[in-house]
Amino acid sequence: MTTQTSKSDKTVIITGGNKGLGYYCAKAIATLDPNSHVIIASRNQNQAALSVKRLIAQTGNKSIEALMLDLASTTSIRTFVKEFAAGVGAASPKENRPPLRAIVCNAGIQVVTGTTYTEDGFETTFAVNHLGHFLLVNLLLKHLISPARVVFVTSGTHFPNDQPNQTLSMPSPEYRNAKLLAFPDLASTQKEEDAYTIGRRRYTTSKLCNILCAYELSHRLQSQGYSTQQCPITVNTFDPGLMPGTGIIRDYDLIKRFAWTFLLPGFRLFAPYVNTPHKSGKDLAKLILDTELAGVTGKYFVGLRQVPSSEESYDQNKAVELWETSAELVKLTPNETILRRCSPPQASPESIAD
């Protein structure tokens, strides 16, 4: 990490910024802060290139580019960071690219038609939604120039489904340990659930992991002296609400996709938790740009309201275990990140067996 306070220009990296929430976040940042340089990090380069052209046309900000990033591949993530550091893909020389001051961990996936695995052998939902962003942020920390901000996009579905915060009746998250999330076949006992329920539960659990990870990152940056009052690196989480019409349920069946695309948007008229990607994208951008949030860290935002997250999301033992196990899974080496490792809490025999 480098400290620099003399320039206001910034580079913002947005994962999954080629459509939906990420696209409208990129649009808002490029519009509200014309000095910003926006990088759309996406695995679909054709779509990302079209999105960049649209964003430039809509905002008048020509400092927008796309870089290849597949969060399901640790090789792709490491290549992305190397290419970013080397200035690959930049429209201007590396030294003219504004300093990296913000990372928006937005991309996500739901797999509800059966268990799939990435090329690294991890369960796909956990790999993309958590492990990929965990590795990406750790690799980028040494390139961040404070003051800087990191935002993890999460969901109200991280709450247990018997609480009013859980507006979608999704299965409650189930966190036992990170290794079982990466390799579910290791569990000695399996719940009698269909693929649809299992996939949705994996999604809600991954959203809980996003919050556990964000809070632990905020803690480590502060406790290890990398984030200070004078030069902060803030880490927060963002719940955009329900956004019908986005591609998050692309693995669902035809009837559910039809309802998601054409029926649920009508609920925006009377349900405050139902939003458009445009509105939520603007709120997400404000978490990156709002000067009043310059020192706010380790918090959970629903839109622009700072509220408590679930009780489980504050479990420090789970946060440490998730962090340390994730580092082992992605083979994060000491020279790849600025943060020191620590010993994870001892797992109970039940959590290992189950």
Side-chain angles (χ1 to χ4, degrees):
M1 183 207 72
T2 306
T3 298
Q4 178 176 320
T5 58
S6 60
K7 291 180 67 177
S8 60
D9 291 349
K10 64 175 66 67
T11 290
V12 181
I13 294 175
I14 305 174
T15 67
N18 57 318
K19 58 184 177 180
L21 176 68
Y23 179 89
Y24 287 103
C25 174
K27 181 180 178 181
I29 290 174
T31 301
L32 297 171
D33 186 2
N35 292 324
S36 63
H37 179 84
V38 179
I39 295 179
I40 304 299
S42 171
R43 67 191 176 108
N44 189 330
Q45 283 299 278
N46 290 333
Q47 189 173 48
L50 292 174
S51 296
V52 167
K53 290 181 180 179
R54 286 179 58 206
L55 285 167
I56 291 174
Q58 291 171 347
T59 67
N61 186 335
K62 296 182 179 180
S63 191
I64 305 173
E65 63 176 307
L67 288 180
M68 169 65 189
L69 173 66
D70 183 356
L71 288 165
S73 165
T74 57
T75 298
S76 174
I77 295 166
R78 286 183 164 92
T79 299
F80 171 88
V81 175
K82 288 178 182 177
E83 292 186 346
F84 167 77
V88 173
S92 57
K94 175 189 171 185
E95 58 270 17
N96 292 337
R97 180 188 271 162
L100 177 62
R101 293 196 190 274
I103 307 168
V104 180
C105 299
N106 162 71
I109 192 173
Q110 270 193 75
V111 180
V112 299
T113 53
T115 302
T116 61
Y117 294 91
T118 67
E119 64 183 38
D120 297 296
F122 307 134
E123 189 281 316
T124 303
T125 300
F126 180 65
V128 172
N129 295 359
H130 166 67
L131 285 177
H133 283 124
F134 170 84
L135 178 59
L136 176 69
V137 170
N138 268 280
L139 297 179
L140 286 172
L141 284 176
K142 63 178 64 176
H143 303 291
L144 270 179
I145 297 177
S146 64
R149 305 185 191 189
V150 181
V151 178
F152 288 80
V153 175
T154 183
S155 167
T157 62
H158 85 278
F159 284 94
N161 66 3
D162 60 353
Q163 295 188 14
N165 313 70
Q166 241 267 37
T167 55
L168 297 179
S169 298
M170 293 278 280
S172 297
E174 188 173 277
Y175 187 97
R176 287 177 283 181
N177 63 66
K179 188 162 288 186
L180 284 181
L181 293 178
F183 309 115
D185 288 342
L186 293 179
S188 58
T189 59
Q190 302 281 353
K191 281 189 173 183
E192 293 296 325
E193 294 180 325
D194 56 45
Y196 178 65
T197 302
I198 291 171
R200 295 164 80 224
R201 190 183 305 281
R202 285 172 178 163
Y203 175 78
T204 63
T205 305
S206 74
K207 296 291 99 179
L208 172 63
C209 289
N210 290 154
I211 303 177
L212 289 167
C213 179
Y215 290 172
E216 183 64 14
L217 175 59
S218 176
H219 170 71
R220 294 192 184 211
L221 287 169
Q222 291 178 300
S223 64
Q224 296 183 26
Y226 292 108
S227 179
T228 64
Q229 283 188 329
Q230 294 75 24
C231 299
I233 302 178
T234 63
V235 187
N236 292 297
T237 61
F238 175 76
D239 173 9
L242 185 65
M243 296 183 297
T246 60
I248 191 65
I249 71 159
R250 54 187 172 272
D251 199 41
Y252 283 45
D253 63 42
L254 182 61
I255 295 176
K256 291 183 178 68
R257 294 200 309 271
F258 178 85
W260 177 255
T261 303
F262 299 105
L263 301 181
L264 281 177
F267 281 71
R268 294 175 187 140
L269 298 175
F270 52 87
Y273 58 86
V274 180
N275 297 318
T276 64
H278 179 265
K279 179 187 181 301
S280 292
K282 289 178 67 175
D283 289 345
L284 178 54
K286 288 180 181 178
L287 292 191
I288 296 298
L289 301 176
D290 194 337
T291 56
E292 293 185 2
L293 299 175
V296 177
T297 189
K299 304 300 180 183
Y300 174 69
F301 288 84
V302 176
L304 296 177
R305 292 184 299 114
Q306 181 184 316
V307 299
S309 51
S310 71
E311 181 179 350
E312 188 176 15
S313 69
Y314 296 103
D315 188 322
Q316 192 167 8
N317 286 336
K318 287 183 178 179
V320 173
E321 185 276 324
L322 174 65
W323 187 280
E324 295 301 322
T325 304
S326 297
E328 293 174 5
L329 290 170
V330 300
K331 298 180 172 58
L332 184 68
T333 62
N335 67 325
E336 287 184 312
T337 183
I338 63 175
L339 295 174
R340 297 189 303 273
R341 298 277 301 278
C342 66
S343 299
Q346 195 68 31
S348 66
E350 292 82 6
S351 69
I352 295 173
D354 292 338

